[in-house]
Amino acid sequence: IAGITQAPTSQILAAGRRMTLRCTQDMRHNAMYWYRQDLGLGLRLIHYSNTAGTTGKGEVPDGYSVSRANTDDFPLTLASAVPSQTSVYFCASSGTSGGGTDTQYFGPGTRLTVL
Amino acid sequence: GQSLEQPSEVTAVEGAIVQINCTYQTSGFYGLSWYQQHDGGAPTFLSYNALDGLEETGRFSSFLSRSDSYGYLLLQELQMKDSASYFCAVFNTGGFKTIFGAGTRLFVKA
């Protein structure tokens, strides 16, 4: 693995189903983030984690949950998917757990369609 | 509230210089970053300004005025491959409540 990976690449999901988007990084970064990107709205922060064992809410957390059991993995779960969660989801990581000076490195994204 | 404003689209010709502006309103400010995103790709980091002034990285420069809550990205010697979306992002106090602008779509034409 080099950098940050996401799975699946794309997914079509029936409304009401549960779905977990996976994110793994091998850079030993403390901080990780989940964003959704919708046309015309840019990137919006869903949840973040500044270090293993801690998580926080971003701009649009409703309907999503995250966990950070270890440094490398940061899965995002949709407990009961709704069509408004159709979006492209990006996971990102950055090097330190404080301040805004760190570059965020983004995964390739997951394109999710909820029908 | 917190918000960033940037133009939705900019068009320029190959070889020219283009400036993409970003104004922000945030409850706490740490620094302003710029990211580039090509169609179908992931955002990639371009530059970061924590202090007032100009930061230069090759053909790209970024400027910040904290007193005016304003910054810009300057792209020189435009190339066709610069056609992409450019996002400004504010890291507010604590660094984790990252707010991105809606993005500026840059079209470079021959």
Side-chain angles (χ1 to χ4, degrees), chain B residues 5 14 16 33 58-59 65 73 95 103:
Chain B
E5 290 191 14
E14 206 172 9
S33 290
R59 294 188 297 114
S65 169
L73 179 70

Side-chain angles (χ1 to χ4, degrees), chain B residues 12-42:
Chain B
V13 297
E14 206 172 9
I17 299 172
V18 71
Q19 179 174 312
I20 299 173
N21 299 320
C22 176
T23 57
Y24 60 86
Q25 182 177 9
T26 180
S27 57
F29 180 81
Y30 215 150
L32 183 71
S33 290
W34 289 92
Y35 287 79
Q36 179 191 60
Q37 185 181 30
H38 287 97
D39 284 349

Side-chain angles (χ1 to χ4, degrees), chain A:
Chain A
I1 298 176
I4 186 164
T5 60
Q6 294 183 234
T9 302
S10 65
Q11 182 75 45
I12 299 174
L13 190 65
R17 297 297 296 269
R18 180 184 180 90
M19 176 74 191
T20 295
L21 309 185
R22 300 185 298 278
C23 175
T24 300
Q25 53 105 358
D26 66 354
M27 297 174 282
R28 306 305 293 172
H29 285 170
N30 286 332
M32 296 187 75
Y33 316 83
W34 273 105
Y35 296 91
R36 60 177 290 172
Q37 185 173 34
D38 304 292
L39 195 62
L41 294 177
L43 291 152
R44 292 183 291 169
L45 183 66
I46 304 171
H47 285 286
Y48 65 90
S49 168
N50 60 355
T51 190
T54 68
T55 62
K57 294 181 179 180
E59 270 184 281
V60 289
D62 294 343
Y64 305 95
S65 63
V66 291
S67 62
R68 188 87 184 278
N70 56 61
T71 298
D72 299 344
D73 301 301
F74 191 43
L76 176 74
T77 298
L78 291 69
S80 179
V82 295
S84 62
Q85 292 177 310
T86 294
S87 187
V88 179
Y89 291 85
F90 287 102
C91 180
S93 68
S94 67
T96 66
S97 58
T101 60
D102 304 303
T103 299
Q104 290 194 22
Y105 296 87
F106 285 80
T110 294
R111 184 174 296 274
L112 181 67
T113 303
V114 183
L115 302 176

